[in-house]
């Protein structure tokens, strides 16, 4: 079986569309269709139902899903393991939102290096859409994010709750401020933000990650919402200030991993994340 056929199948499953899969794979839509036709011929079953809304899995397609993930994962693992020094017994691949790489995930990497020094780690940054796609494709073992979606064969587990606070470059900032920067923390934050400020005009500055908001504030002044876990070091250094009487919003972090998580290394990695998340929750609550 052609591995490109399995990758194409997973791309359509992840995006629900032959056209979108073609864009993501950088091939033509006719190439995507041909690959699926060959795959369906090899398997002797129809895998997708196509309609105006896109493409959805048939019962046979749902049964093939885990096999496709296994095929892709096996090839990816083989490519990596062939060049891996003999002192490493396995590899764990983890991806997460950039804000979760501020403090939390680096601590987990340190925990893993101490607990299993014979395991290599591939670390990546991504947004929810790409992280979920990689999980569906089987090219990531664990993904951490704020607004996960659900997919067959994957578990979404709550890790801890962030507290988003407003911070500013000016200790005397009064909300609202013309230099306010709206950070896109996801639909949950958007709803709470709109509820708190129903009359707020669209901010003149919008960014898609907290790190970028911080860079703009430090360079040009202004204020934005950040997780207190991320903001506290900058507050302690006197580079940013928590806005007096500013609102606070709860913001949940989740991890996504395969339902069939029977690997000893994967179980160890998940245990470490849960342990550090419990500590992070205590810190956030304190």
């Amino acid at each position: 079986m052609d591995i490109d056929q399995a990758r194409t199948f997973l791309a359509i499953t992840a995006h629900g569309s032959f056209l979108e899969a073609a864009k993501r794979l950088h091939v033509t839509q006719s190439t995507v269709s041909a690959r699926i036709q060959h795959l369906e011929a090899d398997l002797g079953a129809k895998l997708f139902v196509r309609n105006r809304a896109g493409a959805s899995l048939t019962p046979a397609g749902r049964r093939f899903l885990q096999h496709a993930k296994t095929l892709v994962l096996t090839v990816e693992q083989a490519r990596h393991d062939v060049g891996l020094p003999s002192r490493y017994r396995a590899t764990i691949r983890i991806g997460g939102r950039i804000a979760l790489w501020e403090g939390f995930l680096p601590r987990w990497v340190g925990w893993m290096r101490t607990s299993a020094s014979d395991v290599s780690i591939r670390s990546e940054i991504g947004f929810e859409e790409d992280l979920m796609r990689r999980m569906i494709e089987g090219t990531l073992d664990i993904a951490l994010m704020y607004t996960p979606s659900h997919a067959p064969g994957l578990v979404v587990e709550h890790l801890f709750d962030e507290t988003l606070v407003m911070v500013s470059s000016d200790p005397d900032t009064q909300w609202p401020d013309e230099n306010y920067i709206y950070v896109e923390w996801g639909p949950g934050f958007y709803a709470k933000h709109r509820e708190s400020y129903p009359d707020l005009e669209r901010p003149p500055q919008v960014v898609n990650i907290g790190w970028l908001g911080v860079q703009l504030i430090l360079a040009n002044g202004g204020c934005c919402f950040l997780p207190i876990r991320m903001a506290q070091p900058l507050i302690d250094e006197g580079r940013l200030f928590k806005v007096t009487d500013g609102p606070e919003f709860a913001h949940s972090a989740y991890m996504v991993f395969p339902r069939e998580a029977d690997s000893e290394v994967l179980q160890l990695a998940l245990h470490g994340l849960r342990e550090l998340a419990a500590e992070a929750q205590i810190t956030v609550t304190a």
Side-chain angles (χ1 to χ4, degrees), residues 73-83:
L73 178 60
T74 300
V75 171
E76 291 288 335
Q77 196 68 48
R79 285 175 176 168
H80 185 275
D81 289 349
V82 165

Short mmCIF file of all heavy atoms in Angstrom, two decimals, residues 73-83:
data_model
loop_
_atom_site.label_atom_id
_atom_site.label_comp_id
_atom_site.label_asym_id
_atom_site.label_seq_id
_atom_site.Cartn_x
_atom_site.Cartn_y
_atom_site.Cartn_z
N LEU A 73 2.40 6.35 11.14
CA LEU A 73 3.23 6.39 12.34
C LEU A 73 4.43 5.46 12.21
O LEU A 73 5.55 5.81 12.59
CB LEU A 73 2.40 6.00 13.57
CG LEU A 73 3.13 5.95 14.90
CD1 LEU A 73 3.73 7.31 15.23
CD2 LEU A 73 2.20 5.50 16.01
N THR A 74 4.20 4.28 11.67
CA THR A 74 5.28 3.30 11.52
C THR A 74 6.37 3.83 10.59
O THR A 74 7.57 3.71 10.88
CB THR A 74 4.73 1.97 10.96
OG1 THR A 74 3.77 1.45 11.87
CG2 THR A 74 5.85 0.95 10.78
N VAL A 75 5.96 4.44 9.49
CA VAL A 75 6.94 4.99 8.55
C VAL A 75 7.71 6.15 9.18
O VAL A 75 8.93 6.23 9.09
CB VAL A 75 6.23 5.47 7.26
CG1 VAL A 75 7.20 6.25 6.38
CG2 VAL A 75 5.69 4.28 6.49
N GLU A 76 6.98 7.07 9.86
CA GLU A 76 7.63 8.20 10.52
C GLU A 76 8.60 7.71 11.59
O GLU A 76 9.72 8.21 11.70
CB GLU A 76 6.58 9.11 11.16
CG GLU A 76 5.71 9.87 10.18
CD GLU A 76 6.47 10.98 9.49
OE1 GLU A 76 7.46 11.47 10.06
OE2 GLU A 76 6.08 11.35 8.37
N GLN A 77 8.16 6.73 12.36
CA GLN A 77 9.00 6.21 13.43
C GLN A 77 10.23 5.52 12.85
O GLN A 77 11.34 5.65 13.38
CB GLN A 77 8.20 5.22 14.29
CG GLN A 77 8.85 4.91 15.63
CD GLN A 77 8.84 6.12 16.56
OE1 GLN A 77 7.81 6.77 16.73
NE2 GLN A 77 9.96 6.42 17.16
N ALA A 78 10.04 4.79 11.77
CA ALA A 78 11.16 4.09 11.15
C ALA A 78 12.21 5.07 10.64
O ALA A 78 13.41 4.88 10.84
CB ALA A 78 10.65 3.22 10.00
N ARG A 79 11.75 6.14 10.00
CA ARG A 79 12.69 7.15 9.49
C ARG A 79 13.50 7.77 10.62
O ARG A 79 14.69 8.03 10.47
CB ARG A 79 11.91 8.24 8.74
CG ARG A 79 11.40 7.81 7.38
CD ARG A 79 10.55 8.87 6.74
NE ARG A 79 10.13 8.50 5.40
CZ ARG A 79 9.20 9.13 4.69
NH1 ARG A 79 8.58 10.17 5.23
NH2 ARG A 79 8.89 8.74 3.48
N HIS A 80 12.84 8.03 11.73
CA HIS A 80 13.54 8.64 12.85
C HIS A 80 14.46 7.64 13.54
O HIS A 80 15.62 7.94 13.85
CB HIS A 80 12.54 9.19 13.85
CG HIS A 80 13.18 9.94 14.99
ND1 HIS A 80 13.65 9.29 16.12
CD2 HIS A 80 13.46 11.26 15.15
CE1 HIS A 80 14.19 10.19 16.93
NE2 HIS A 80 14.07 11.38 16.38
N ASP A 81 13.95 6.43 13.79
CA ASP A 81 14.70 5.46 14.58
C ASP A 81 15.93 4.93 13.87
O ASP A 81 16.91 4.56 14.52
CB ASP A 81 13.79 4.28 14.96
CG ASP A 81 12.75 4.67 15.99
OD1 ASP A 81 12.87 5.79 16.56
OD2 ASP A 81 11.82 3.89 16.24
N VAL A 82 15.89 4.89 12.55
CA VAL A 82 17.06 4.40 11.80
C VAL A 82 18.29 5.24 12.10
O VAL A 82 19.41 4.72 12.24
CB VAL A 82 16.76 4.38 10.28
CG1 VAL A 82 18.05 4.23 9.48
CG2 VAL A 82 15.80 3.25 9.95
N GLY A 83 18.10 6.56 12.24
CA GLY A 83 19.23 7.45 12.51
C GLY A 83 19.44 7.75 13.97
O GLY A 83 20.32 8.54 14.32
#
